[in-house]
Amino acid sequence: MTETDAGTAWRTYADRDLPPILETALACFMEHGYHGTTIRTVASRAGLSVPGLYYHYASKQALLVALVSHAMEDLWRRSTAALKEAGDDVRRRFDLLVECLVLFHAHQRDLAFIAYSEIRSLTGEARTTYIAARDRQQRLMDHVIEGGVAQGVFGTPYPREASRAIVTMCTGVSQWYRAAGEHSPSELAERYRAMTRMTAGARPWVS
């Protein structure tokens, strides 16, 4: 999703815009893990020679960095678009941010899973950059919860901890969600809105 369509399409998940090499690398990482995947395996499945793959990406680490960067940038654009749609109403900001997180981690389950689980495999500046992006994303929910507490919308005495718990609940969808499961992403988002409201100590409100 681009900056241009983010404002109207943050709920929409059409075909991903990942380059074919990255789609192949993602599939390999999902099947074998980062450390269990070789450059030769990715190159072969992408229909390239090893030197051909290196022409596009300098290393296996570069493939992982590109995937993680794509995931975090896409989630950020969608999240900020959801908050822009919500306006200043803290209740709506909370609901739409939770919805955004759940939809992303259901629809982009494989990409989100690798971005979460393979942080251990990032090194040096790439790891630092990822952690900064993750913390920036977390602060969106922090600010919503803190604003809700200040307005008396949320009653939790532990806003920062509640915020972390809520984000962890939503991102955890990528660990288990399956498209053929009982609930669609939108149905799941509705359930998570109800559960996370309770976690934040929400006063009763009507959607």
Side-chain angles (χ1 to χ4, degrees):
M1 186 178 68
T2 66
E3 293 286 354
T4 303
D5 64 13
T8 58
W10 63 267
R11 294 182 181 86
T12 301
Y13 289 85
D15 292 338
R16 272 198 298 238
D17 58 352
L18 277 177
I21 295 174
L22 290 184
E23 284 285 6
T24 301
L26 177 59
C28 291
F29 293 162
M30 286 295 291
E31 291 175 24
H32 309 294
Y34 175 76
H35 291 293
T37 298
T38 66
I39 282 289
R40 189 171 298 279
T41 299
V42 178
S44 176
R45 288 183 58 168
L48 297 169
S49 64
V50 170
L53 189 150
Y54 280 138
Y55 176 80
H56 298 281
Y57 296 93
S59 64
K60 186 171 70 168
Q61 179 77 185
L63 290 169
L64 179 61
V65 170
L67 287 169
V68 168
S69 297
H70 179 90
M72 297 306 294
E73 289 166 7
D74 189 26
L75 178 58
W76 176 258
R77 286 193 293 266
R78 292 177 186 276
S79 298
T80 53
L83 290 172
K84 183 176 181 180
E85 179 184 321
D88 295 331
D89 187 324
V90 72
R91 296 173 177 85
R92 186 157 172 77
R93 290 174 70 80
F94 178 83
D95 279 354
L96 294 196
L97 186 54
V98 168
E99 179 182 358
C100 181
L101 289 170
V102 173
L103 291 181
F104 181 85
H105 287 85
H107 284 290
Q108 302 280 50
R109 188 189 69 82
D110 52 355
L111 188 60
F113 178 82
I114 291 299
Y116 170 82
S117 65
E118 293 296 352
I119 182 177
R120 60 193 174 187
S121 302
L122 292 170
T123 60
E125 185 177 348
R127 182 181 175 88
T128 300
T129 299
Y130 172 84
I131 291 172
R134 182 194 63 187
D135 291 348
R136 181 179 71 161
Q137 180 70 41
Q138 175 65 53
R139 283 194 293 273
L140 293 179
M141 185 63 75
D142 291 347
H143 293 157
V144 170
I145 299 290
E146 289 164 1
V149 169
Q151 294 179 30
V153 173
F154 299 127
T156 176
Y158 311 112
R160 188 60 58 87
E161 289 80 3
S163 177
R164 292 196 187 107
I166 287 166
V167 170
T168 299
M169 287 171 64
C170 295
T171 59
V173 168
S174 69
Q175 310 289 309
W176 59 265
Y177 182 77
R178 296 295 182 273
E182 183 179 0
H183 301 293
S184 69
S186 58
E187 290 169 341
L188 193 64
E190 182 62 34
R191 289 180 173 231
Y192 269 61
R193 277 196 296 269
M195 291 189 296
T196 54
R197 285 177 181 181
M198 289 187 284
T199 302
R203 314 302 187 194
W205 80 74
V206 178
S207 299

